[in-house]
Amino acid sequence: MIGGLKKVSLYLFAAASAVAILASAAPVAKAQYITRAEFEEYKKSQPKVEWKGAPKISSQDGKFSFKVRGRLQVDYNSIDQDEQITGDPDINDWEARRARLGVEGTIWYDWDYKFEIDFAGNEVDVKDAYIAYAGFSDWNNLEILFGQFKIANSLEGMTSSRYITFMERAFFIEAFEAEPRALGVGIHAGSDDAFGWSFQSSFNGPNIGDDGVWSDGPTIWAARATVAPVNTDDTKVHLGASYRSRNNGTEDGVTALYDYQSRAGLHLSDRFVEADGIGEADDYWGLEGAVVWRRFSVQGEYAELTPDVPQYYKSMSSRSLSPDYNGWYVFGSVFLTDDMRNYEADKGEFGRVKPNDPFDLKNGGWGAWEIAGRWDSVDVGSDASALLAAGADCEECGDQEGWTIALNWYPTAYTRLMFNVIGTDVGGEFNDNDGADISGFGMRGQIDW
């Protein structure tokens, strides 16, 4: 038995020796290594992914980029509409104030694009839809836009609804800016240096009709310029002015007329001041200013609008018909936490608030908290006697003033809860709603990406 084991051991040793000899004679397999240059070239072929509310995918060389963008704002409004005077009942309701989805990015280094659709109110509405040539980036971020984009008027009008301090913009924004966006060509430029500035100008319309030919529709020319003489990390000073001239064209050969109307502070409220069908063209100009010092800020604007009243009204009145409408607001805000409003001097507008201590129950973060108060006024024909004498539909021409108190909580940079309390007084000797006192409460839950 022992002898047998010895023979087996000898056989195993001989076999192992033979394998070792054969292996030593075989070519040695070399490890496959790539050079640093090859690795860098490989990295260039891989997409770069950043998180900005949603993934932004771009090429390493910056030639292409793509990002899904969107926002969802869900509101609740409770409004006492002074039914004894206005005849309009109280409102207690929810709504999807904005529900947008779109894309934005870059193609071939120099071309930017943006396309966004809004689905709120069970309707589909195209918002931004443009391409922009941005090959002049060394020239103060100069861009040339083609398509549908926001018309540059007013600080609050240009600031995105994602970043405005109150749930709704000031009265005159709605009353004087019936078309916040239109098709056309525009130029944008600006600098975010210690002395920041911005400039936007555009010509919009006429549009191409369903029959494929140019329609005799609205034409709009607008320009806006801003400066930031102080633009440091903890102090911002903003000054600006804007001008707009527009003509409403014709519809089926008949002159189309602009309406000038405004809600009473919350989106679901009715409109109690309105100059209906008054202007076939108009001129608008506005002044704007803001100061931010750390957690404190103040902001205000003043605007005037002069409509061109149709000739048939002028011929029916023995008095001069040249109405001038105006609006203004002023507000102040303070952050209860160590945060501040984010001003972007190269755009002349306010941007995203980024809490220094985002909400986090585990680590004790509470996000950013802000309180604000605004006083607001608009006058769309409080002296409407001449227009009424000429046969104009001006039973609600008048003025309204109101206040809004806001509490805003920013758990993170991309989420926000808003609480607004409003009070609005309606006036005007010739306004059917003269003396109405509108009050209400609103809240909003918001997320964007």
Side-chain angles (χ1 to χ4, degrees):
M1 181 69 179
I2 295 175
L5 288 174
K6 287 183 177 179
K7 288 183 179 181
V8 171
S9 299
L10 288 173
Y11 292 151
L12 289 173
F13 175 76
S17 299
V19 170
I21 293 171
L22 291 173
S24 63
V28 177
K30 296 183 178 179
Q32 297 297 313
Y33 295 103
I34 61 174
T35 65
R36 185 174 188 83
E38 290 173 330
F39 179 68
E40 292 298 325
E41 191 66 27
Y42 169 77
K43 284 204 312 182
K44 290 180 182 179
S45 67
Q46 302 304 302
K48 180 172 61 174
V49 180
E50 304 172 82
W51 185 264
K52 293 188 174 182
K56 177 183 178 182
I57 303 172
S58 56
S59 58
Q60 292 288 341
D61 57 7
K63 184 182 295 185
F64 301 99
S65 70
F66 173 86
K67 179 182 180 294
V68 176
R69 56 177 288 122
R71 75 193 71 171
L72 177 62
Q73 297 174 341
V74 179
D75 289 8
Y76 171 74
N77 286 187
S78 176
I79 310 169
D80 179 350
Q81 300 202 122
D82 201 348
E83 187 173 1
Q84 288 186 337
I85 295 178
T86 66
D88 294 328
D90 296 346
I91 293 173
N92 291 280
D93 206 355
W94 293 84
E95 70 165 339
R97 179 66 175 90
R98 296 176 180 89
R100 298 185 187 175
L101 188 63
V103 295
E104 64 181 356
T106 300
I107 298 176
W108 294 105
Y109 296 113
D110 297 333
W111 294 90
D112 294 337
Y113 64 89
K114 184 177 178 181
F115 181 76
E116 192 170 53
I117 296 177
D118 188 72
F119 300 93
N122 295 320
E123 296 180 358
V124 177
D125 185 20
V126 176
K127 294 299 183 180
D128 290 314
Y130 66 81
I131 59 174
Y133 182 72
F136 309 104
S137 57
D138 294 337
W139 299 356
N140 297 301
N141 301 310
L142 176 63
E143 287 187 334
I144 302 177
L145 286 70
F146 307 90
Q148 179 164 293
F149 48 85
K150 187 178 286 189
I151 298 170
N153 284 136
S154 163
L155 170 58
E156 198 167 55
M158 289 299 291
T159 297
S160 170
S161 65
R162 296 170 294 172
Y163 313 136
I164 56 177
T165 302
F166 302 89
M167 289 174 61
E168 301 300 328
R169 296 182 172 93
F171 295 150
F172 83 82
I173 304 294
E174 179 184 9
F176 298 165
E177 296 186 359
E179 304 91 4
R181 291 173 173 82
L183 286 165
V185 58
I187 297 175
H188 290 186
S191 171
D192 199 21
D193 295 334
F195 188 96
W197 62 272
S198 75
F199 176 78
Q200 303 104 22
S201 182
S202 65
F203 177 79
N204 303 83
N207 299 331
I208 298 178
D210 294 335
D211 54 1
V213 300
W214 290 102
S215 65
D216 188 15
T219 57
I220 306 168
W221 180 77
R224 176 175 180 258
T226 72
V227 294
V230 180
N231 188 29
T232 64
D233 289 342
D234 61 1
T235 307
K236 316 284 184 179
V237 176
H238 165 95
L239 300 170
S242 59
Y243 173 78
R244 183 196 68 217
S245 178
R246 61 182 181 175
N247 189 307
N248 210 15
T250 62
E251 293 179 1
D252 299 324
V254 178
T255 300
L257 300 175
Y258 289 113
D259 296 337
Y260 307 103
Q261 54 190 355
S262 177
R263 294 178 175 87
L266 291 171
H267 187 250
L268 291 181
S269 72
D270 290 298
R271 297 179 174 94
F272 303 109
V273 292
E274 178 179 7
D276 186 18
I278 296 298
E280 57 186 9
D282 60 34
D283 292 294
Y284 162 100
W285 66 268
L287 299 174
E288 56 195 61
V291 176
V292 179
W293 181 66
R294 298 179 182 173
R295 64 180 65 187
F296 302 95
S297 75
V298 293
Q299 178 177 318
E301 298 189 63
Y302 176 82
E304 285 195 0
L305 182 139
T306 302
D308 186 3
V309 178
Q311 182 61 39
Y312 58 81
Y313 285 153
K314 297 177 183 178
S315 63
M316 294 174 63
S317 176
S318 59
R319 299 171 57 183
S320 174
L321 289 179
S322 56
D324 290 313
Y325 303 152
N326 65 79
W328 57 268
Y329 73 86
V330 61
F331 78 72
S333 77
V334 59
F335 278 89
L336 306 178
T337 52
D338 187 21
D339 297 282
M340 67 182 291
R341 298 178 73 196
N342 177 21
Y343 176 69
E344 300 176 350
D346 58 337
K347 298 178 181 178
E349 61 190 61
F350 284 94
R352 186 182 303 280
V353 172
K354 301 177 180 179
N356 288 318
D357 196 11
F359 179 67
D360 186 344
L361 280 177
K362 292 182 179 179
N363 299 309
W366 290 103
W369 290 81
E370 176 189 28
I371 57 173
R374 177 178 66 189
W375 187 259
D376 196 359
S377 175
V378 68
D379 184 337
V380 288
S382 55
D383 182 7
S385 57
L387 285 168
L388 287 167
D393 182 11
C394 217
E395 286 82 6
E396 292 188 349
C397 290
D399 62 86
Q400 67 180 23
E401 292 188 350
W403 53 265
T404 306
I405 303 297
L407 171 65
N408 299 322
W409 179 37
Y410 307 80
T412 70
Y414 295 91
T415 54
R416 178 167 66 162
L417 293 178
M418 308 177 73
F419 306 90
N420 283 192
V421 180
I422 65 104
T424 301
D425 295 322
V426 180
E429 180 182 356
F430 304 98
N431 190 316
D432 292 345
N433 301 307
D434 183 33
D437 182 10
I438 315 301
S439 60
F441 167 77
M443 61 182 180
R444 169 176 297 168
Q446 171 183 308
I447 185 170
D448 74 281
W449 56 91

